[in-house]
């Protein structure tokens, strides 16, 4: 297997020209991603079967190597063990710089499957007020600001993760006063924004597929569009809601049916889909058929009209 891995990776452009991409290969339960000049190996096997092979690549490639074992009981192995070199901390996508921390969490702090959504935000945020909920490290809000947004509110339960967004603004010489960070649970934060009379031109919903707390619950499988009505009062007339649903067991048709049932043709309209990049769309059978979407991460753009008072 080592020779197969080496042959595959020797043909990859590791010059830093590709900011973030996912490599297609024949190895089961192994995800390989390239961030600038860092290769990240995400091992999903129960026994860390790929660790020795990844370790054997040290010194054989012009790249830093980071190994993550998803099923390890050791959080350091889940977050990542540096095999060689120094992991990159900055990538550039669609002309925007993002600060990343590849060992911040068991993921890499930056989701490549929403690359086209960031492109959409860069191209469609000029002069707008944007609310980015479940913001994580804030890359979607940074994309909106890079696209000329007038102001962005980023909210997430973890201030630790959101701190990366401020570093990204600095990289792009964006006025930090244009970004507000609100740390807290989605439900009371949204309630507080409603009470204060805030209105946004764009609201982004990118929640985890399931979450439960005393304040409320998120269930993208059984209630795939329930959060839309939570944020609709915050959207200005003619504004946009972008809903991301990453529930693997929810088919595309069921998600679309739920979305269309919510759209009344008067105050809420389904406008478009945002596809997932080709390098994230593998050839393996999906748990649930995502069609008419091209990936289990399913993104819909809605338009909102407000009732005249």
């Amino acid at each position: 297997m080592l020779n197969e891995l080496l042959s595959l990776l020797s043909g990859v452009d590791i010059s830093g020209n590709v900011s973030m991409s996912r490599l297609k290969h024949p190895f089961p339960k192994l995800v390989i991603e390239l961030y600038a000049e860092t290769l990240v190996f995400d091992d999903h096997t129960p026994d860390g079967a790929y660790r020795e092979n990844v370790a054997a690549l040290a010194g054989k490639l012009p790249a830093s190597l980071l190994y993550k074992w998803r099923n390890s009981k050791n959080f350091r192995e889940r977050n990542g063990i540096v095999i060689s070199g120094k992991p990159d901390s900055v990538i550039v996508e669609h002309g925007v710089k993002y600060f990343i921390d590849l060992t911040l969490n068991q993921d890499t702090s930056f989701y490549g499957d929403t690359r086209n959504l960031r492109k959409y935000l860069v191209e469609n945020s000029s002069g707008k007020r944007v609310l980015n909920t479940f913001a994580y490290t804030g890359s979607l809000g940074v994309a909106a600001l890079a696209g000329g947004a007038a102001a962005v509110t980023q909210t997430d339960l973890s201030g630790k993760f959101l701190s990366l967004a401020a570093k990204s603004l600095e990289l792009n010489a964006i006025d930090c006063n244009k970004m507000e960070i609100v740390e807290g649970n989605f439900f009371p934060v949204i309630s507080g924004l409603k009470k204060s009379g805030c209105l946004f031109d764009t609201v982004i919903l990118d929640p985890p597929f399931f979450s439960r707390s005393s304040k409320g619950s998120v269930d993208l499988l059984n209630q795939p569009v329930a959060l839309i009505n939570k944020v609709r009062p915050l959207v200005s007339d003619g504004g946009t809601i972008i809903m991301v649903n990453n529930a693997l067991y929810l088919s595309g048709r069921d998600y679309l049916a739920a979305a269309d049932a919510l759209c009344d043709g008067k105050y809420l309209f389904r406008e478009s889909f945002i596809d997932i990049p080709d390098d994230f769309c593998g050839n393996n059978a999906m748990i649930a058929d995502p069609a008419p979407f091209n990936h289990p991460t399913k993104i819909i753009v809605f338009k909102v009209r407000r009732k005249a008072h």
Side-chain angles (χ1 to χ4, degrees), residues 181-222:
I181 297 292
V182 181
E183 184 178 348
N185 182 283
F186 169 83
F187 295 97
V189 167
I190 294 303
S191 178
L193 290 172
K194 291 176 186 175
K195 289 177 182 177
S196 66
C198 290
L199 286 179
F200 300 89
D201 303 298
T202 303
V203 174
I204 306 163
L205 287 166
D206 186 11
F209 75 91
F210 185 83
S211 176
R212 178 173 292 162
S213 72
S214 60
K215 308 297 183 181
S217 62
V218 176
D219 185 349
L220 295 188
L221 175 61
N222 297 301

Side-chain angles (χ1 to χ4, degrees), residues 99-101 104 109 137 159-169:
F99 184 88
I100 59 173
D101 184 343
L104 177 69
S109 80
T137 59
K160 173 186 175 182
F161 297 147
L162 277 174
S163 66
L164 270 65
K167 296 180 180 180
S168 293
L169 292 195

Side-chain angles (χ1 to χ4, degrees), residues 214-242:
S214 60
K215 308 297 183 181
S217 62
V218 176
D219 185 349
L220 295 188
L221 175 61
N222 297 301
Q223 297 178 307
V225 294
L227 296 183
I228 289 177
N229 279 336
K230 295 290 183 183
V231 301
R232 277 176 69 178
L234 294 173
V235 185
S236 60
D237 188 47
T240 299
I241 296 174
I242 302 171

Side-chain angles (χ1 to χ4, degrees), residues 5-295:
L5 257 179
L6 190 56
S7 177
L8 168 75
L9 297 173
S10 295
V12 175
D13 179 5
I14 312 178
S15 64
N17 295 325
V18 179
S19 291
M20 192 273 150
S21 62
R22 178 168 288 187
L23 309 185
K24 294 185 179 181
H25 58 76
F27 310 115
K29 295 187 180 296
L30 178 67
V31 175
I32 307 175
E33 294 178 332
L34 177 64
Y35 292 79
E37 297 179 4
T38 301
L39 284 165
V40 179
F41 299 83
D42 203 350
D43 186 344
H44 290 260
T45 63
D47 56 354
Y50 293 103
R51 181 167 185 165
E52 288 187 8
N53 287 286
V54 173
L57 292 172
K60 294 181 171 64
L61 295 165
S64 299
L65 306 179
L66 180 67
Y67 170 82
K68 292 173 178 272
W69 177 18
R70 276 296 176 98
N71 293 304
S72 175
K73 295 180 180 179
N74 183 318
F75 84 94
R76 287 189 65 251
E77 290 183 318
R78 293 195 301 272
N79 287 13
I81 302 295
V82 177
I83 301 298
S84 66
K86 182 180 179 181
D88 286 274
S89 60
V90 177
I91 59 174
V92 183
E93 178 191 81
H94 307 306
V96 183
K97 296 178 182 178
Y98 296 94
F99 184 88
I100 59 173
D101 184 343
L102 296 174
T103 60
L104 177 69
N105 204 1
Q106 69 174 12
D107 56 45
T108 58
S109 80
F110 189 86
Y111 294 137
D113 58 352
T114 49
R115 182 189 307 148
N116 292 340
L117 174 52
R118 282 186 292 276
K119 184 174 187 289
Y120 173 94
L121 290 166
V122 169
E123 295 173 348
N124 294 276
S125 297
S126 181
K128 295 182 178 179
R129 292 179 53 84
V130 178
L131 172 63
N132 183 24
T133 68
F134 305 98
Y136 190 37
T137 59
S139 70
L140 299 179
V142 171
L145 284 167
V152 169
T153 299
Q154 309 240 51
T155 179
D156 194 272
L157 194 58
S158 171
K160 173 186 175 182
F161 297 147
L162 277 174
S163 66
L164 270 65
K167 296 180 180 180
S168 293
L169 292 195
E170 185 177 349
L171 287 172
N172 293 283
I174 296 172
D175 183 358
C176 64
N177 292 316
K178 290 186 175 182
M179 182 176 73
E180 178 185 16
I181 297 292
V182 181
E183 184 178 348
N185 182 283
F186 169 83
F187 295 97
V189 167
I190 294 303
S191 178
L193 290 172
K194 291 176 186 175
K195 289 177 182 177
S196 66
C198 290
L199 286 179
F200 300 89
D201 303 298
T202 303
V203 174
I204 306 163
L205 287 166
D206 186 11
F209 75 91
F210 185 83
S211 176
R212 178 173 292 162
S213 72
S214 60
K215 308 297 183 181
S217 62
V218 176
D219 185 349
L220 295 188
L221 175 61
N222 297 301
Q223 297 178 307
V225 294
L227 296 183
I228 289 177
N229 279 336
K230 295 290 183 183
V231 301
R232 277 176 69 178
L234 294 173
V235 185
S236 60
D237 188 47
T240 299
I241 296 174
I242 302 171
M243 177 79 196
V244 182
N245 186 301
N246 59 13
L248 294 174
Y249 289 88
L250 177 69
S251 74
R253 294 191 183 281
D254 286 346
Y255 178 41
L256 195 58
D260 285 348
L262 190 63
C263 294
D264 55 15
K266 188 174 182 181
Y267 298 110
L268 185 68
F269 308 82
R270 173 167 60 84
E271 183 180 68
S272 61
F273 301 158
I274 297 177
D275 284 341
I276 303 306
D278 289 342
D279 52 315
F280 278 79
C281 299
N283 297 321
N284 296 329
M286 303 294 181
I287 294 174
D289 183 2
F293 302 88
N294 69 336
H295 188 273

